[in-house]
Amino acid sequence: MAGTSLPSSLLSQGPSLFFSSSNQISEAKCRIVITSEKRCLVRCFAKKKISFVDQILDYIEGGPKLRKWYGAPELLPKDGSLSGDDEEIEAEEEEDLDGDKDAVFVTDGDSDLGQMIILQLIVKGSRVKALVKDKRKALEAFGAYVELTTGDASDERFLRKAFRGVGAIISPTEGFLSNVKSLRGVKHAVLLSQLSVYESSGGIQAMMNNKAKKLAEGDEKAVIASNVPYTIIRTGKLENSPGGNQGFNFSSGAAAKGSISKEDAARICVEALSVVPPTGLIFEVSNGEEVVSDWEGQLMKVMQRQSEKK
């Protein structure tokens, strides 16, 4: 960083023991000072040495605690033990289980659907956390309106941090929920599923969709087995057409036969947060003729229709 000097604390890392007959004390953090008639004994301890790149990242991102908040890799001592900061983070995670959970976590925030969902949540004034692959691009797109994180969904430690303060999850693409081992603390999971589209395809298209179909099946099974209230929205084929120009079709078979604007699909995912089902809600939707002005009422109607079929 041109024109900016690093803090002295970054240049004095590494355990050391100093004996000095003068009054000068090194920049390492001093813990014990013993003075005798002849000389002054100064015993100093410093944090274990980390790489220069990680020192720079600590400085840029505001220190180790903020590195953890932003999802940067953890810096563990060589012996694998937790530092004081790690222990503090663990304690905060435990406290968070009973704290306020007002954030909405959006998976695959780099995708078209993920970005549309994030934008609609911002407009609603929601607190948003998002899993992205490229933090720099996401930061340029959303600024301080979104708390960004990167990591592996199968890493339980990463997810515990990512889910801090999260009350609801919206997963707009296949492959996330099937990798998550636990949704501990989450109160509502919303999954956009293309399973009906994949199941209705045939020939070469069916072969091309085979991998996505398995991921979609895995996601639905995972969210149903999670013991978290869930909403599975099975949409028709996703189109890049503008949203808000058509109505909707919530009838059985609508997803397999119809299509829907990505923008409209994103809106339904966001609106689904307003109705948390007692256990689970699964419905199909595509663009159609039905005009919806009250989404909460519409979702309650769909839920009622589902309970009557059981």
Side-chain angles (χ1 to χ4, degrees), residues 94-116:
E94 292 300 321
E95 291 174 3
D96 184 67
L97 292 176
D98 298 321
D100 291 335
K101 292 182 172 292
D102 59 349
V104 180
F105 187 88
V106 180
T107 71
D108 200 4
D110 302 282
S111 67
D112 290 344
L113 268 171
Q115 291 183 22
M116 291 175 185

Side-chain angles (χ1 to χ4, degrees), residues 6 94 114 117 184 206 245 251 263 294:
L6 296 179
E94 292 300 321
I117 289 169
R184 183 185 180 192
N245 296 331
S251 64
E263 191 174 332
D294 176 12

